[in-house]
Amino acid sequence: MEHVLLRHRDIPNLKKLEVYREHGGYEGLKKALSMTPAEVIEIVKASNLRGRGGAGFGTGVKWSFIPKNAPETYVLINTDESEMGTFKDRELTENNPHQIIEGALIAAYAIGCHKVFNYMRGEFMDAAYAFEEALQECREAGILGDNILGSGFSCEMYTHFGAGAYICGEETALIESLAGNLGQPWSKPPFPAIEGLYKKPTVVNNTETLANVPMILINGPDWYKSMGTPQSPGPKIVCISGHVERPGNYEVHMGVTYRELLEMAGGIRGGKKFKALFPSGGSGPIVVDDALGAPLTYEGLTPFDSVMGSASLVFLDEDTDMVWATLKVIEFFRHESCGKCTPCREGTFWLDRVVQRIYDGRGTEADIRLLQSIAGGMKGKCLCALGEFSISPILSSIVHFLPEYKAKVAAAKGGKVAQPAAAAAVR
Amino acid sequence: MLREKYGKEIDALLARFPEKKSAVLHLMHLAQNEYGHMSDEAIREVAEICEIDPTHVLGLAGFYTLYYEEPVGKYVLEVCNDLACALRGSEEFVEMASRKLDIPVDGTTNDGMFTLKTVMCLGACDRAPMLQCNLKFYENLDEAKFDNMIAMLRMKAEQGDDEPSVVERIFSYMK
Ligand SMILES: Cc1cc2nc3c(=O)[nH]c(=O)nc-3n(C[C@H](O)[C@H](O)[C@H](O)COP(=O)(O)O)c2cc1C
């Protein structure tokens, strides 16, 4: 299959402007600049491109929320990419930066923005070098700055670095962080489209989302919708990691099944059996083998009470201790909770404590119910989705793997504790 | 001192934003690169440049994990130990690194050369075990590669390591 996003795998040196242009680069921008902003938004709407940052919101619709003729607006590229199991935006940034820049410029033109920031996690500073070089090439070629490609449209673009905080991927926290504040979300409304960066109308889009845009302009919405399913059209980069033979990014058309994806990655490592899948990094409920036949689409896992999210698939083999795996994930959320709202700050702290004690062999049957009760108390009450994310691995692992929890508390009663030696040593 | 050394870059950075405060995270990266950690002096300088209260900068240093509030070794080894990496051997890797450097996690070697830390997901789960050292990624690691890496870093340090850091390279793009 020819790639639409990971095109650098087909075309050597695609990160160079010259090569990118030889392969149709910036033709999508040219086409956009020959239209009105409203026409550009209509095309993106018609393609039904949906956000790749996890929530799946219609990209064209999002752009259309920006008030017309607002004097100052912003486009923010979200390259915070800190979800466990996610590593797609980094590959794009390092290898296909111009496609991101082109997509962001089209977004900027569509909403009348003259300054774009690409918010990257600080840990990507080395990877970002390719992006900085691409920006520099654009400035020299008249693709950034004043009067872009002679169109009269002017726009600048800068990289901005975070400093190690998962929460800054949440759009309002990202905006706060860019303004120099603690990266803590606010309760919407106001929505960023009305009051965002510096209180100006702002669009936040995921890196991969924007990388879809140039080709939609060039080839049209019908071409785009010929890939994937009616509700989830287009290509998608799927990050596959964990116990598989060949971890990595796989670009597919949405609608392939999770089983097919596992096969693409060479199956479970060492010929072992599949046990469980975290389909959305740490942020989505765990699923088991009955869900493997489901299609990878925004709705595909709904019957299994889970979500596609950013399509970060972490596969676990038959030998995995599920209480341990759940502990790893809740530790992440406890660490990354920003501390602003009480349910998430206190809830993730206690969930971590209780899973830890069950894992350590100090738990009781009542602790399992306590986990469910803490999670229930958090549900729907957190300021942002981080708190909601944090309860999903807990609740789903209890649903699917209750006997493992019970075995741990039973062993605790009998005084003998079984746990992998390595895992214990690190803590 | 930052001003003297990076005046041009700092001005270019500040010009990007309508508010100076937006430059704070970048300047903290630069200050940490210069001073090794967010020392009082580093915090004061950043606050002055951004025209904000030093306590605000201190708060940011506590919030964002890439800033060190205490002195660290010359090379900070941050091993990703999240679930995806742990499924591919990161916990055993941390144990090995800790044994070889003869320091616990969060410890610094006596010669001040290495600090070992574990961190949350670094976005390189397909290349685990992996670590970040002074913002550079080292991926698909094993014991032999780790030994090699440590030996190389020691050698570099002895020769006075004058290679520009990741932060310095990025700041060279501020114009
Ligand atoms: C805790 C949390 C972390 C998030 N992290 C990211 C991220 O790293 N990258 C991203 O694009 N979106 C992330 N999001 C989603 C953003 O809030 C936002 O929906 C997205 O950037 C919108 O872009 P899209 O419409 O193109 O998907 C996160 C959301 C939450 C609640």
Side-chain angles (χ1 to χ4, degrees):
Chain A
M1 187 188 91
E2 218 168 84
H3 295 94
V4 174
L5 303 166
L6 303 174
R7 285 165 74 217
H8 53 276
R9 294 188 178 180
D10 308 324
I11 307 167
N13 277 320
L14 188 64
K15 66 174 151 194
K16 293 266 141 236
L17 177 59
E18 195 190 324
V19 178
Y20 184 70
R21 289 190 100 167
E22 273 165 24
H23 290 85
Y26 292 103
E27 291 302 318
L29 174 63
K30 268 194 209 157
K31 198 157 169 189
L33 292 173
S34 73
M35 303 177 190
T36 66
E39 285 166 345
V40 173
I41 293 179
E42 280 315 308
I43 289 181
V44 176
K45 258 192 197 168
S47 76
N48 199 13
L49 166 64
R50 297 173 65 182
R52 302 301 197 233
F57 198 82
T59 304
V61 177
K62 186 186 274 193
W63 297 359
S64 72
F65 289 159
I66 300 291
K68 305 286 164 287
N69 307 318
E72 192 181 337
T73 64
Y74 290 97
V75 169
L76 308 180
I77 311 172
N78 189 344
T79 316
D80 194 52
E81 186 154 82
S82 308
E83 179 66 49
M84 190 270 294
T86 314
F87 41 86
K88 61 189 177 68
D89 298 335
R90 174 166 166 241
E91 180 171 348
L92 285 175
T93 301
E94 275 188 295
N95 300 288
N96 194 5
H98 282 291
Q99 199 162 321
I100 304 166
I101 296 171
E102 184 176 2
L105 282 174
I106 295 169
Y109 177 70
I111 69 156
C113 148
H114 304 291
K115 209 179 262 183
V116 177
F117 291 104
N118 185 359
Y119 188 100
M120 276 190 215
R121 59 182 303 184
E123 294 88 340
F124 282 1
M125 213 179 274
D126 204 26
Y129 213 63
F131 195 82
E132 287 287 347
E133 279 180 343
L135 289 177
Q136 201 53 37
E137 284 183 314
C138 288
R139 288 185 192 113
E140 282 158 17
I143 296 172
L144 274 180
D146 288 337
N147 191 15
I148 291 174
L149 299 170
S151 65
F153 172 64
S154 303
C155 190
E156 247 311 338
M157 196 178 300
Y158 302 110
T159 320
H160 196 87
F161 291 104
Y166 166 66
I167 188 61
C168 291
E170 195 282 336
E171 56 183 6
T172 62
L174 186 152
I175 290 168
E176 287 293 341
S177 179
L178 234 167
N181 298 321
L182 294 182
Q184 292 180 321
W186 72 70
S187 168
K188 293 178 263 194
F191 289 92
I194 308 301
E195 251 182 52
L197 183 63
Y198 310 124
K199 301 225 179 311
K200 302 292 189 278
T202 299
V203 158
V204 181
N205 268 137
N206 173 255
T207 314
E208 181 189 353
T209 309
L210 292 170
N212 277 274
V213 172
M215 302 268 230
I216 292 175
L217 265 288
I218 295 173
N219 298 322
D222 290 334
W223 164 81
Y224 193 75
K225 287 190 288 194
S226 73
M227 295 174 280
T229 69
Q231 258 130 59
S232 303
K236 177 82 193 83
I237 306 176
V238 182
C239 312
I240 305 185
S241 65
H243 289 144
V244 295
E245 287 285 354
R246 292 188 299 275
N249 285 319
Y250 292 82
E251 181 177 326
V252 296
H253 294 173
M254 284 198 273
V256 297
T257 66
Y258 285 90
R259 183 171 289 110
E260 286 167 321
L261 286 160
L262 175 57
E263 280 159 15
M264 276 180 214
I268 297 292
R269 201 167 61 168
K272 293 217 174 125
K273 285 209 195 69
F274 165 83
K275 181 170 190 177
L277 166 66
F278 282 85
S280 176
S283 306
I286 302 166
V287 296
V288 293
D289 48 11
D290 60 352
L292 288 183
L296 178 120
T297 57
Y298 289 99
E299 313 72 26
L301 288 178
T302 312
F304 305 93
D305 293 323
S306 192
V307 293
M308 178 179 90
S310 52
S312 312
L313 278 47
V314 186
F315 284 97
L316 312 185
D317 73 16
E318 54 187 325
D319 296 336
T320 314
D321 178 336
M322 292 308 294
V323 179
W324 168 79
T326 306
L327 177 61
K328 293 295 281 187
V329 174
I330 191 61
E331 277 176 354
F332 173 85
F333 287 115
R334 197 246 315 129
H335 185 267
E336 299 299 338
S337 175
C338 81
K340 183 168 176 176
C341 79
T342 312
C344 177
R345 183 184 63 238
E346 296 297 313
T348 54
F349 174 86
W350 285 105
L351 289 174
D352 182 26
R353 285 273 287 247
V354 178
V355 180
Q356 180 78 60
R357 93 179 162 226
I358 295 174
Y359 177 71
D360 287 346
R362 292 179 289 112
T364 62
E365 287 268 344
D367 281 338
I368 304 173
R369 289 191 298 276
L370 181 58
L371 286 176
Q372 290 168 310
S373 135
I374 298 170
M378 295 167 69
K379 201 175 164 87
K381 298 191 187 66
C382 298
L383 182 56
C384 84
L386 190 149
E388 307 293 328
F389 292 163
S390 74
I391 64 179
S392 58
I394 304 261
L395 293 176
S396 58
S397 77
I398 295 177
V399 167
H400 296 300
F401 302 102
L402 183 61
E404 293 193 30
Y405 283 83
K406 291 209 159 165
K408 287 254 190 314
V409 298
K413 259 189 254 164
K416 67 175 165 34
V417 184
Q419 54 177 253
V426 179
R427 289 208 43 81
Chain B
M1 188 169 143
L2 291 179
R3 263 267 174 232
E4 277 89 86
K5 202 164 161 188
Y6 296 102
K8 204 168 81 257
E9 288 83 355
I10 291 174
D11 287 338
L13 174 66
L14 293 174
R16 292 180 174 188
F17 312 104
E19 297 173 7
K20 287 185 173 160
K21 196 179 177 188
S22 276
V24 67
L25 296 185
H26 272 92
L27 291 169
M28 287 170 75
H29 283 301
L30 190 65
Q32 179 158 289
N33 183 71
E34 203 61 28
Y35 294 102
H37 75 288
M38 293 312 296
S39 62
D40 291 350
E41 201 179 351
I43 285 174
R44 197 167 31 75
E45 278 193 53
V46 171
E48 266 169 29
I49 297 170
C50 296
E51 294 167 15
I52 53 181
D53 200 291
T55 54
H56 181 71
V57 182
L58 192 64
L60 297 175
F63 185 87
Y64 292 97
T65 53
L66 276 180
Y67 303 126
Y68 311 127
E69 293 170 277
E70 300 295 328
V72 287
K74 182 173 171 63
Y75 300 107
V76 185
L77 308 172
E78 296 176 307
V79 185
C80 179
N81 194 27
D82 236 322
L83 177 63
C85 276
L87 295 172
R88 303 186 77 83
S90 68
E91 300 199 322
E92 294 79 358
F93 183 85
V94 173
E95 233 187 304
M96 181 276 297
S98 160
R99 196 177 64 242
K100 291 227 152 152
L101 294 170
D102 197 21
I103 45 173
V105 172
D106 290 327
T108 300
T109 54
N110 285 333
D111 58 2
M113 197 67 77
F114 299 105
T115 297
L116 180 66
K117 287 175 181 281
T118 58
V119 293
M120 298 297 163
C121 187
L122 289 174
C125 325
D126 53 336
R127 303 177 201 172
M130 60 82 59
L131 61 79
Q132 146 187 275
C133 170
N134 298 6
L135 295 178
K136 248 197 180 82
F137 280 19
Y138 295 79
E139 303 171 318
N140 293 314
L141 293 173
D142 56 25
E143 189 164 343
K145 284 186 194 160
F146 178 76
D147 290 345
N148 205 357
M149 170 188 163
I150 295 296
M152 290 277 292
L153 290 173
R154 279 197 198 282
M155 207 167 74
K156 240 166 75 175
E158 267 167 35
Q159 292 162 357
D161 193 354
D162 51 8
E163 202 181 296
S165 66
V166 172
V167 175
E168 282 164 334
R169 284 182 63 197
I170 280 291
F171 264 80
S172 71
Y173 263 91
M174 305 278 168
K175 38 194 159 189

Coordinates of all heavy atoms in Angstrom, one line a residue, chain A residues 273-326:
Chain A
K273 N 0.4 -16.8 23.4 CA -1.0 -16.5 23.2 C -1.3 -15.1 23.6 O -0.7 -14.5 24.5 CB -1.9 -17.5 24.0 CG -2.0 -18.8 23.4 CD -3.4 -19.4 23.8 CE -3.5 -20.9 23.6 NZ -2.7 -21.7 24.5
F274 N -2.3 -14.5 22.9 CA -2.8 -13.2 23.2 C -3.6 -13.2 24.5 O -4.3 -14.1 24.8 CB -3.6 -12.7 22.1 CG -4.5 -11.5 22.4 CD1 -4.0 -10.2 22.3 CD2 -5.8 -11.6 22.8 CE1 -4.7 -9.1 22.7 CE2 -6.6 -10.5 23.1 CZ -6.1 -9.2 23.1
K275 N -3.4 -12.2 25.4 CA -4.2 -12.1 26.6 C -5.1 -10.8 26.6 O -6.2 -10.9 26.9 CB -3.3 -12.1 27.8 CG -4.1 -12.0 29.1 CD -3.2 -12.3 30.3 CE -3.9 -12.5 31.6 NZ -3.0 -12.8 32.7
A276 N -4.5 -9.7 26.4 CA -5.3 -8.5 26.5 C -4.7 -7.4 25.6 O -3.5 -7.4 25.3 CB -5.3 -8.0 28.0
L277 N -5.5 -6.4 25.4 CA -5.0 -5.2 24.6 C -5.5 -3.9 25.2 O -6.6 -3.7 25.6 CB -5.7 -5.3 23.2 CG -5.6 -4.1 22.3 CD1 -4.2 -3.8 21.9 CD2 -6.5 -4.3 21.0
F278 N -4.5 -3.0 25.4 CA -4.8 -1.7 25.7 C -4.9 -1.0 24.4 O -3.9 -0.7 23.7 CB -3.6 -1.0 26.5 CG -3.6 -1.4 28.0 CD1 -2.9 -2.5 28.4 CD2 -4.1 -0.5 28.9 CE1 -2.9 -2.9 29.7 CE2 -4.1 -0.9 30.3 CZ -3.4 -2.0 30.7
P279 N -6.2 -0.6 23.9 CA -6.3 -0.2 22.6 C -6.0 1.3 22.4 O -5.9 1.8 21.3 CB -7.8 -0.4 22.3 CG -8.5 -0.4 23.6 CD -7.5 -0.8 24.6
S280 N -5.9 2.0 23.5 CA -5.7 3.5 23.4 C -4.7 3.9 24.4 O -4.9 4.8 25.2 CB -7.1 4.2 23.7 OG -7.0 5.6 23.7
G281 N -3.6 3.3 24.4 CA -2.5 3.6 25.4 C -3.1 3.2 26.8 O -3.8 2.3 26.9
G282 N -2.8 4.1 27.7 CA -3.3 3.9 29.1 C -4.8 4.4 29.2 O -5.4 4.1 30.2
S283 N -5.3 5.1 28.2 CA -6.5 5.9 28.4 C -7.8 5.3 28.0 O -8.8 5.9 28.0 CB -6.4 7.2 27.6 OG -5.2 7.9 27.9
G284 N -7.7 4.0 27.6 CA -9.0 3.4 27.2 C -9.1 2.1 27.9 O -8.1 1.5 28.3
P285 N -10.4 1.6 28.1 CA -10.6 0.4 28.8 C -9.9 -0.8 28.0 O -9.8 -0.8 26.8 CB -12.1 0.2 28.7 CG -12.6 1.6 28.7 CD -11.6 2.4 27.9
I286 N -9.3 -1.7 28.8 CA -8.7 -2.9 28.3 C -9.7 -3.8 27.6 O -10.9 -3.9 28.1 CB -8.0 -3.7 29.4 CG1 -7.1 -2.8 30.2 CG2 -7.4 -5.0 28.9 CD1 -6.6 -3.4 31.6
V287 N -9.3 -4.4 26.5 CA -10.2 -5.4 25.8 C -9.5 -6.7 25.7 O -8.3 -6.8 25.9 CB -10.7 -4.9 24.4 CG1 -11.5 -3.7 24.5 CG2 -9.5 -4.7 23.5
V288 N -10.3 -7.8 25.5 CA -9.8 -9.1 25.4 C -10.2 -9.7 24.1 O -10.6 -9.0 23.2 CB -10.3 -10.0 26.6 CG1 -9.7 -9.5 27.9 CG2 -11.8 -10.1 26.7
D289 N -10.0 -11.1 23.9 CA -10.0 -11.6 22.5 C -11.3 -11.5 21.8 O -11.3 -11.4 20.6 CB -9.4 -13.0 22.4 CG -10.0 -13.9 23.5 OD1 -11.0 -13.5 24.1 OD2 -9.5 -15.1 23.6
D290 N -12.4 -11.3 22.5 CA -13.7 -11.2 21.7 C -13.7 -9.9 20.9 O -14.4 -9.7 20.0 CB -14.9 -11.3 22.7 CG -14.9 -10.2 23.7 OD1 -13.9 -9.5 23.9 OD2 -15.9 -10.1 24.5
A291 N -12.8 -8.9 21.3 CA -12.8 -7.6 20.6 C -11.9 -7.6 19.4 O -11.9 -6.6 18.6 CB -12.5 -6.5 21.6
L292 N -11.1 -8.6 19.2 CA -10.1 -8.6 18.2 C -10.7 -8.5 16.8 O -10.0 -8.0 15.8 CB -9.1 -9.7 18.3 CG -8.1 -9.7 19.5 CD1 -7.2 -10.9 19.4 CD2 -7.3 -8.4 19.5
G293 N -11.9 -9.0 16.6 CA -12.5 -8.9 15.3 C -13.2 -7.6 15.0 O -13.6 -7.4 13.9
A294 N -13.2 -6.7 16.0 CA -13.8 -5.4 15.8 C -12.9 -4.5 14.8 O -11.7 -4.7 14.8 CB -13.9 -4.7 17.1
P295 N -13.6 -3.6 14.1 CA -12.8 -2.8 13.2 C -12.2 -1.6 13.9 O -12.8 -1.1 14.9 CB -13.9 -2.3 12.2 CG -15.1 -2.3 13.0 CD -15.0 -3.4 13.9
L296 N -11.0 -1.2 13.5 CA -10.4 0.0 14.1 C -11.1 1.2 13.4 O -10.8 1.6 12.3 CB -8.9 0.0 13.8 CG -8.2 1.2 14.3 CD1 -7.1 0.8 15.3 CD2 -7.5 2.0 13.2
T297 N -12.1 1.7 14.1 CA -12.8 2.9 13.7 C -13.1 3.7 15.0 O -13.0 3.1 16.1 CB -14.1 2.6 13.0 OG1 -14.9 1.8 13.9 CG2 -13.9 1.9 11.7
Y298 N -13.6 4.9 14.9 CA -14.0 5.6 16.1 C -15.1 4.9 16.9 O -15.1 5.0 18.1 CB -14.5 7.0 15.7 CG -13.3 7.9 15.3 CD1 -13.0 8.1 13.9 CD2 -12.4 8.5 16.2 CE1 -12.0 8.9 13.5 CE2 -11.3 9.2 15.8 CZ -11.1 9.5 14.5 OH -10.0 10.2 14.1
E299 N -15.9 4.1 16.2 CA -17.0 3.4 16.9 C -16.8 2.0 17.1 O -17.6 1.3 17.8 CB -18.3 3.6 16.1 CG -18.6 5.0 15.5 CD -17.7 5.4 14.4 OE1 -17.2 4.5 13.6 OE2 -17.5 6.6 14.2
G300 N -15.7 1.4 16.5 CA -15.5 0.0 16.4 C -15.6 -0.7 17.8 O -16.0 -1.9 17.9
L301 N -15.0 -0.1 18.8 CA -14.9 -0.8 20.1 C -16.1 -0.5 21.0 O -16.1 -0.9 22.2 CB -13.6 -0.5 20.8 CG -12.3 -1.2 20.1 CD1 -11.1 -0.8 20.9 CD2 -12.5 -2.7 20.1
T302 N -17.0 0.3 20.6 CA -18.2 0.7 21.4 C -18.9 -0.6 22.0 O -19.1 -0.6 23.2 CB -19.2 1.6 20.7 OG1 -18.4 2.6 20.0 CG2 -20.2 2.2 21.6
P303 N -19.1 -1.6 21.2 CA -19.8 -2.8 21.8 C -18.9 -3.4 22.9 O -19.4 -4.2 23.7 CB -19.9 -3.7 20.6 CG -19.7 -2.9 19.4 CD -18.9 -1.8 19.8
F304 N -17.7 -3.1 22.9 CA -16.8 -3.7 23.9 C -16.4 -2.7 25.0 O -15.4 -2.9 25.7 CB -15.5 -4.3 23.3 CG -15.9 -5.3 22.2 CD1 -16.0 -4.8 20.8 CD2 -16.2 -6.6 22.5 CE1 -16.4 -5.7 19.8 CE2 -16.5 -7.5 21.4 CZ -16.7 -7.1 20.1
D305 N -17.2 -1.7 25.1 CA -17.1 -0.6 26.1 C -15.7 0.0 26.1 O -15.1 0.4 27.1 CB -17.3 -1.2 27.5 CG -18.7 -1.6 27.7 OD1 -19.6 -0.9 27.2 OD2 -19.0 -2.6 28.4
S306 N -15.1 0.1 24.9 CA -13.8 0.8 24.8 C -13.8 1.7 23.6 O -14.8 2.0 23.0 CB -12.7 -0.3 24.7 OG -11.5 0.3 24.9
V307 N -12.6 2.3 23.4 CA -12.5 3.3 22.4 C -11.2 3.1 21.5 O -10.3 2.5 21.9 CB -12.3 4.7 23.1 CG1 -13.6 5.1 23.8 CG2 -11.2 4.7 24.1
M308 N -11.2 3.8 20.3 CA -10.0 3.8 19.5 C -9.0 4.7 20.0 O -7.8 4.5 20.0 CB -10.4 4.1 18.1 CG -9.2 4.2 17.1 SD -9.6 4.6 15.4 CE -9.5 6.3 15.5
G309 N -9.5 5.9 20.5 CA -8.5 6.9 21.0 C -7.5 7.3 19.9 O -7.9 7.5 18.7
S310 N -6.3 7.4 20.3 CA -5.3 7.7 19.3 C -4.7 6.5 18.6 O -3.7 6.6 17.9 CB -4.1 8.5 20.0 OG -3.7 7.8 21.1
A311 N -5.3 5.3 18.8 CA -4.9 4.1 18.1 C -3.5 3.7 18.6 O -2.6 3.5 17.7 CB -5.1 4.1 16.6
S312 N -3.3 3.6 19.9 CA -2.0 3.2 20.4 C -2.3 1.8 21.0 O -2.8 1.7 22.1 CB -1.5 4.1 21.5 OG -1.6 5.4 21.0
L313 N -1.9 0.8 20.3 CA -2.2 -0.6 20.7 C -1.1 -1.2 21.4 O 0.0 -1.4 20.9 CB -2.5 -1.4 19.4 CG -3.9 -1.3 18.7 CD1 -4.4 0.1 18.6 CD2 -3.9 -2.1 17.4
V314 N -1.3 -1.5 22.7 CA -0.3 -2.2 23.5 C -0.8 -3.6 23.8 O -1.8 -3.8 24.5 CB -0.1 -1.5 24.8 CG1 1.1 -2.1 25.6 CG2 0.2 0.0 24.6
F315 N -0.2 -4.6 23.2 CA -0.6 -6.0 23.3 C 0.1 -6.7 24.4 O 1.3 -6.5 24.6 CB -0.3 -6.7 22.0 CG -1.2 -6.4 20.9 CD1 -0.9 -5.5 19.9 CD2 -2.5 -7.1 20.8 CE1 -1.8 -5.2 18.9 CE2 -3.4 -6.8 19.8 CZ -3.0 -5.8 18.8
L316 N -0.6 -7.5 25.2 CA -0.1 -8.3 26.3 C -0.2 -9.7 26.0 O -1.2 -10.2 25.6 CB -0.8 -7.9 27.6 CG -1.0 -6.4 27.9 CD1 -1.6 -6.3 29.3 CD2 0.2 -5.6 27.9
D317 N 0.8 -10.5 26.4 CA 0.8 -11.9 26.2 C 0.2 -12.7 27.4 O -0.1 -12.1 28.4 CB 2.1 -12.5 25.7 CG 3.1 -12.6 26.8 OD1 2.7 -12.5 28.0 OD2 4.3 -12.7 26.5
E318 N 0.0 -14.0 27.2 CA -0.7 -14.8 28.2 C 0.0 -14.8 29.6 O -0.7 -15.1 30.6 CB -0.8 -16.2 27.7 CG 0.6 -16.8 27.3 CD 0.5 -18.2 26.6 OE1 -0.4 -19.0 27.0 OE2 1.3 -18.5 25.7
D319 N 1.3 -14.5 29.6 CA 2.0 -14.6 30.9 C 1.9 -13.3 31.7 O 2.5 -13.2 32.8 CB 3.5 -14.9 30.7 CG 3.6 -16.3 30.1 OD1 2.7 -17.1 30.3 OD2 4.7 -16.5 29.4
T320 N 1.3 -12.3 31.2 CA 1.3 -11.0 31.8 C 0.4 -10.9 33.1 O -0.7 -11.4 33.1 CB 0.8 -9.8 30.9 OG1 1.4 -10.0 29.6 CG2 1.1 -8.5 31.4
D321 N 1.0 -10.4 34.2 CA 0.2 -10.2 35.4 C -0.6 -9.0 35.2 O -0.1 -7.9 35.1 CB 1.3 -10.1 36.5 CG 0.6 -9.8 37.9 OD1 -0.5 -9.3 37.9 OD2 1.3 -10.1 38.9
M322 N -1.9 -9.1 35.2 CA -2.8 -8.0 34.9 C -2.9 -7.0 36.0 O -3.2 -5.8 35.8 CB -4.2 -8.4 34.5 CG -4.2 -9.2 33.1 SD -3.4 -8.3 31.7 CE -4.5 -6.9 31.6
V323 N -2.7 -7.4 37.2 CA -2.7 -6.5 38.3 C -1.4 -5.6 38.2 O -1.5 -4.3 38.4 CB -2.7 -7.2 39.7 CG1 -2.7 -6.1 40.8 CG2 -4.0 -8.0 39.8
W324 N -0.3 -6.2 37.9 CA 0.9 -5.5 37.6 C 0.7 -4.4 36.5 O 1.1 -3.3 36.6 CB 2.1 -6.4 37.3 CG 3.3 -5.8 36.8 CD1 4.2 -5.1 37.5 CD2 3.7 -5.7 35.4 NE1 5.2 -4.6 36.7 CE2 4.9 -5.0 35.4 CE3 3.1 -6.1 34.2 CZ2 5.6 -4.7 34.2 CZ3 3.8 -5.9 33.0 CH2 5.0 -5.1 33.0
A325 N 0.1 -4.9 35.3 CA 0.0 -4.0 34.2 C -0.9 -2.8 34.6 O -0.7 -1.7 34.2 CB -0.7 -4.8 33.0
T326 N -2.0 -3.1 35.4 CA -2.9 -2.0 35.8 C -2.1 -1.1 36.7 O -2.3 0.2 36.6 CB -4.1 -2.6 36.5 OG1 -4.7 -3.6 35.7 CG2 -5.1 -1.6 36.9

